[in-house]
């Protein structure tokens, strides 16, 4: 598809129906491959003899790769169009699936996880910036991304559990095909201009970007979403397996919270209008409480499904509203840095969570460790609840095509939502 006028640069350029369909298709296919890996990697690793702690460390490797990649993404987005990152990430997730389809050697597992982590960083940050710039409002664009991701994350684990029963490498082969197919719609997306260097913050940690009101709340929300994803991709399947659930049932149970993410994402626009404080508290409390309940209920499939569904709703809120807040609170040309920052926080949580769980598992059973982790995730919500709303509140505004840049946003972003964090 064609590009857009350079005058629009990093600002919103208006919604394109064809671009939206292509973006959704690429996201569903990529998320399908990623969801397949989420179920197959821990189960395959346990089946071939790796311990629960070793599986957690494998997941941490993907988080390290993702974290390192995200650290450079803000600068890279000022040099390379986001569609190039999306196409490259789709190819990389296909390679990640293919590697462990052919070998379960430790070196291959490590390589697969490192490639997967970089692919996740490139795809999700680029898809977010693309959606924000092509939509009339940040939350609407990000809702599309997360709903599409939720569909893929629902289908991937559900089908992976069924295919595993037929042949161990079969779900990975299907995942590799899906990732390869995602390259096509990604390559056909509208080519947007790179972000303008003259309006950049100078990096995700420069000029106190992470301390700006609203951006700090977005960081907490992305940290919760990252911890949830890390646990869902590693220790949740292990807890279910140790509780005696068959692989096919585990696939379905992992798919349920991914489906529930759709409900959380769908409520994002409504919840966003209630302010940062309500969004933060609702998302973290639902996510943490759901995971905490899933530990002791792992042996009862229906009860575990309900607990995981609650956590999924919370995660959908966190991963949709969080980046939307960050994108709304900064200059349009800073959106790449802001979304790279919140993504880096998410990747940090993905990295640290397995280490925390490894420490907990060394002293308590895996189910009890999951309960503890869930409770810890709710703690930032307590601080958010205690903070009072400011006297005047303004709902977020919707951006129009090529909205004029506001110079004062570089120093003190205009408040569009309650500044309560």
């Amino acid at each position: 598809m064609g590009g857009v006028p350079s005058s629009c640069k990093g600002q919103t350029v208006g919604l394109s129906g064809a671009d939206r369909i292509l973006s959704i298709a690429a996201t569903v296919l990529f998320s399908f491959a990623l969801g397949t890996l989420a179920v197959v990697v821990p189960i395959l690793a346990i089946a071939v003899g790796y311990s629960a702690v070793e599986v957690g460390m494998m997941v941490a490797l993907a988080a390290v790769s993702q974290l390192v990649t995200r650290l450079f993404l803000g600068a890279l987005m000022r040099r390379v169009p986001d569609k190039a990152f999306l196409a490259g990430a789709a190819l990389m997730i296909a390679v990640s699936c293919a590697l462990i389809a052919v070998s379960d050697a430790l070196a291959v597992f490590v390589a697969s996880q490192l490639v997967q982590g970089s692919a996740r960083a490139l795809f999700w940050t680029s898809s977010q910036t693309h959606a924000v710039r092509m939509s009339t409002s940040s939350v609407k664009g990000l809702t599309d991304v997360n709903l599409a991701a939720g569909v893929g994350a629902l289908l991937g684990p559900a089908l992976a559990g069924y295919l595993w029963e037929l042949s161990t490498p079969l779900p990975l082969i299907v995942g590799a095909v899906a990732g390869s197919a995602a390259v096509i719609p990604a390559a056909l997306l509208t080519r947007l201009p790179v972000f303008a260097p003259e309006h950049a913050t100078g990096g995700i940690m420069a000029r106190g970007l992470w301390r700006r009101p609203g951006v700090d709340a977005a960081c907490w929300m992305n940290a919760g979403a990252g911890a949830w994803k890390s646990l869902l991709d590693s220790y949740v399947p292990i807890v279910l397996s140790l509780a005696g659930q068959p692989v096919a049932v585990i696939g379905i149970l992992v798919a349920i919270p991914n489906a529930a993410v759709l409900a959380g994402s769908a409520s994002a626009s409504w919840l966003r209008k209630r302010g940062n404080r309500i969004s933060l508290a609702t998302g973290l409390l639902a996510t943490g409480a759901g995971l905490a309940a899933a530990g002791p209920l792992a042996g009862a499939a229906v009860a575990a499904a309900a607990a995981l569904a609650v956590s999924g709703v919370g995660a959908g809120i966190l991963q949709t509203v969080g980046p939307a807040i960050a994108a709304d609170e900064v200059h349009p040309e800073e959106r790449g840095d802001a979304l790279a920052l919140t993504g880096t926080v998410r990747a940090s949580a993905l990295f640290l969570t397995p280490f925390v769980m490894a420490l907990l598992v060394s002293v308590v059973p895996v189910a009890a460790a999951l309960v503890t982790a869930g409770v810890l995730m709710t703690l930032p919500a307590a601080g958010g609840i205690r903070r009072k709303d400011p006297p005047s509140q303004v709902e977020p505004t919707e951006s129009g095509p090529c909205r004029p840049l506001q110079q004062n946003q570089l120093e003190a972003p205009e408040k569009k939502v309650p500044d309560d964090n």
Side-chain angles (χ1 to χ4, degrees):
M1 295 182 67
V4 296
S6 60
S7 60
C8 292
K9 292 291 183 180
Q11 304 169 66
T12 302
V13 298
L15 186 63
S16 164
D19 187 271
R20 183 186 184 196
I21 292 171
L22 290 169
S23 179
I24 289 173
T27 302
V28 169
L29 289 168
F30 181 90
S31 186
F32 177 92
L34 188 59
T36 297
L37 287 171
V39 170
V40 174
V41 167
I43 294 176
L44 178 60
I46 291 291
V48 299
Y50 295 106
S51 69
V53 172
E54 289 171 327
V55 174
M57 294 302 101
M58 289 179 188
V59 174
L61 282 175
V64 170
S65 177
Q66 184 177 173
L67 175 59
V68 172
T69 303
R70 286 186 188 273
L71 289 174
F72 298 97
L73 265 179
L76 288 173
M77 285 184 175
R78 295 190 284 275
R79 295 172 174 82
V80 181
D82 50 28
K83 66 178 288 183
F85 290 129
L86 291 169
L91 184 59
M92 290 170 69
I93 203 69
V95 170
S96 181
C97 290
L99 283 172
I100 53 176
V102 300
S103 174
D104 57 18
L106 179 60
V108 176
F109 261 107
V110 169
S112 174
Q113 290 298 97
L114 291 174
V115 172
Q116 181 205 137
S118 290
R120 290 165 73 163
L122 292 171
F123 191 90
W124 295 127
T125 300
S126 299
S127 64
Q128 287 176 347
T129 58
H130 191 87
V132 164
R133 298 167 80 188
M134 290 296 294
S135 181
T136 54
S137 80
S138 298
V139 72
K140 288 180 180 178
L142 292 169
T143 296
D144 279 348
V145 170
N146 285 302
L147 288 176
V151 171
L154 167 64
L155 297 176
L159 187 58
Y162 172 74
L163 295 176
W164 173 279
E165 302 291 346
L166 301 177
S167 171
T168 300
L170 187 56
L172 294 166
I173 294 171
V174 173
V177 171
S180 299
V183 175
I184 299 172
L188 294 174
L189 289 170
T190 299
R191 186 185 187 278
L192 297 177
V194 297
F195 288 98
E198 62 268 21
H199 292 293
T201 61
I204 62 174
M205 299 304 293
R207 299 176 64 175
L209 179 62
W210 64 277
R211 293 194 303 268
R212 294 191 193 177
V215 177
D216 57 353
C219 288
W220 278 116
M221 296 178 79
N222 273 261
W228 175 83
K229 185 62 177 173
S230 178
L231 292 169
L232 192 68
D233 287 357
S234 56
Y235 284 94
V236 168
I238 292 173
V239 169
L240 295 171
S241 180
L242 294 176
Q245 301 292 354
V247 174
V249 173
I250 292 174
I252 294 172
L253 289 175
V254 171
I256 287 173
N258 283 313
V261 166
L262 301 177
S265 295
S267 67
S269 292
W270 177 84
L271 199 59
R272 174 79 172 101
K273 296 175 182 178
R274 271 50 187 183
N276 300 351
R277 179 169 61 95
I278 297 299
S279 300
L280 175 70
T282 303
L284 288 177
L285 289 174
T287 304
L291 282 177
L297 298 175
V302 174
L308 290 172
V310 171
S311 77
V313 171
I317 293 169
L318 295 176
Q319 66 187 31
T320 303
V321 180
I325 292 173
D328 285 341
E329 294 292 342
V330 299
H331 188 285
E333 296 293 347
E334 293 180 302
R335 286 172 167 176
D337 282 326
L339 292 174
L341 170 62
T342 57
T344 300
V345 172
R346 178 187 171 100
S348 299
L350 282 165
F351 170 65
L352 294 174
T353 300
F355 287 99
V356 174
M357 286 295 290
L359 291 174
L360 292 173
V361 168
S362 67
V363 294
V364 297
V366 181
L370 186 62
V371 173
T372 305
V375 172
L376 290 174
M377 287 175 61
T378 66
L379 296 182
I385 291 173
R386 285 197 299 268
R387 297 188 182 185
K388 296 181 179 180
D389 290 330
S392 61
Q393 300 182 2
V394 183
E395 291 187 358
T397 60
E398 294 189 354
S399 53
C402 294
R403 179 179 58 188
L405 301 179
Q406 298 180 32
Q407 181 62 32
N408 65 353
Q409 284 181 288
L410 284 170
E411 302 302 331
E414 179 185 356
K415 298 298 181 291
K416 305 180 183 66
V417 294
D419 175 13
D420 40 38
N421 287 280

